Amino acid sequence: MSTRLTVATLNVRGLPLKGSRLGERFAAIADEFDAADIDLVCLQEVFAYHHLAHLRKRMPSFPYVAYRPSAIGPAGGQVTLSRLRPASTTYAGLPWSSRPSALPLRARLNALHSGMLTVRLADCRVLNVHPMANTDGDWSEQNRFYELQRDQFSALARAVSAENSPAVVCGDFNVSQASTLHRELQQRTGLRDAFSRLCPPTFHAEYLAPGNKPHCIDFILAAETIGVDSTELLFTDKRVLRSGPTYLSDHIGLLARLRIPD
């Protein structure tokens, strides 16, 4: 016997802050999630309480909203909305202190907001994760971001392995499939990619600097005991808002229909 669980993940903020039509975009994102057959949604970059209010107002069918409060909004910008009652929720920041002087100031500040939000359901744990961004787009072991990202992925691996219950890990990982960090995470935890490594780029190319290629940097990983019935990409195309057509985020969303063993 098994329990069906449909999960989705999306980095919602994205796009340049100026002229990003945040309110319109959040309303449209929330409307689509609320109309979809999804049990649990992991969101990243919900940094302010009024942003969260936009989402909650338009997602009434998701009565359970998990996040850790901070001064201006959800800690780490991470929010998980669920139609299923969680047994518990916890939040933990990811390490950020390795070689801080080697990184740009903005990157060091952003690292303070990287974390993992864990929602425990009856049959599994769902971890909403958002490690720090590598703004170089270079995931080699020689890159200046590598050591800090390695520390963060090690902390994530320990969190996944700390309990025996099956885990699902969703979010904007900020590393590509080709990164050794991504492969080592799967090796250390036994997690597997719900998309079977066939996920296309999850970042819209037009928001990258000239000459940069988009990669698959958003993932849904699941314990080996969890079955995957199907997967989908979300928010791949522009939507027509009152102010004109736009992508709802610079990221593409992911959805997986899973089977959790009883």
Side-chain angles (χ1 to χ4, degrees), residues 12-29 45-48 50-52 54-55 241 243 246 248-249:
V12 293
R13 189 199 166 281
L15 310 180
L17 182 59
K18 184 178 180 181
S20 66
R21 297 178 275 183
L22 200 61
E24 277 190 280
R25 291 194 293 108
F26 272 34
I29 289 169
E45 296 199 1
V46 184
F47 287 123
H50 67 276
H51 298 164
L52 178 58
H54 276 296
L55 297 167
L241 306 182
S243 54
T246 185
L248 297 185
S249 173

Side-chain angles (χ1 to χ4, degrees), residues 93-154:
L94 292 170
W96 58 272
S97 58
S98 286
R99 299 181 60 206
S101 60
L103 303 178
L105 176 60
R106 182 173 180 180
R108 282 181 270 158
L109 294 174
N110 287 342
L112 296 173
H113 300 292
S114 51
M116 49 189 169
L117 175 68
T118 302
V119 171
R120 291 171 179 81
L121 301 173
D123 302 303
C124 69
R125 293 169 290 148
V126 180
L127 285 75
N128 177 355
V129 302
H130 193 202
M132 74 168 296
N134 178 337
T135 54
D136 293 343
D138 171 11
W139 293 282
S140 69
E141 296 183 18
Q142 293 72 40
N143 183 258
R144 58 182 174 169
F145 286 89
Y146 180 85
E147 187 172 331
L148 178 50
Q149 287 191 309
R150 182 199 61 195
D151 291 347
Q152 295 196 338
F153 274 74
S154 293

Side-chain angles (χ1 to χ4, degrees), residues 30-214:
D31 286 347
E32 292 197 30
F33 277 134
D34 199 62
D37 181 19
I38 299 173
D39 299 307
L40 183 145
V41 177
C42 295
L43 303 178
Q44 301 87 48
E45 296 199 1
V46 184
F47 287 123
Y49 287 120
H50 67 276
H51 298 164
L52 178 58
H54 276 296
L55 297 167
R56 296 187 72 167
K57 180 179 179 180
R58 306 294 280 258
M59 295 176 68
S61 67
F62 289 81
Y64 306 107
V65 183
Y67 64 94
R68 190 182 78 178
S70 71
I72 61 172
Q78 289 159 275
V79 175
T80 299
L81 298 98
S82 177
R83 286 175 166 138
L84 306 174
R85 183 188 295 274
S88 65
T89 63
T90 56
Y91 175 86
L94 292 170
W96 58 272
S97 58
S98 286
R99 299 181 60 206
S101 60
L103 303 178
L105 176 60
R106 182 173 180 180
R108 282 181 270 158
L109 294 174
N110 287 342
L112 296 173
H113 300 292
S114 51
M116 49 189 169
L117 175 68
T118 302
V119 171
R120 291 171 179 81
L121 301 173
D123 302 303
C124 69
R125 293 169 290 148
V126 180
L127 285 75
N128 177 355
V129 302
H130 193 202
M132 74 168 296
N134 178 337
T135 54
D136 293 343
D138 171 11
W139 293 282
S140 69
E141 296 183 18
Q142 293 72 40
N143 183 258
R144 58 182 174 169
F145 286 89
Y146 180 85
E147 187 172 331
L148 178 50
Q149 287 191 309
R150 182 199 61 195
D151 291 347
Q152 295 196 338
F153 274 74
S154 293
L156 173 57
R158 290 193 296 271
V160 171
S161 304
E163 300 180 28
N164 292 327
S165 60
V168 179
V169 182
C170 306
D172 173 7
F173 282 47
N174 276 315
V175 299
S176 78
Q177 288 175 321
S179 169
T180 57
L181 296 171
H182 188 78
R183 294 197 299 271
E184 288 173 358
L185 174 67
Q186 292 182 270
Q187 291 168 357
R188 292 178 62 179
T189 60
L191 296 171
R192 61 191 176 106
D193 192 336
F195 283 75
S196 300
R197 299 186 62 82
L198 300 176
C199 184
T202 57
F203 195 90
H204 293 294
E206 67 185 71
Y207 298 114
L208 292 171
N212 289 353
K213 292 175 56 179

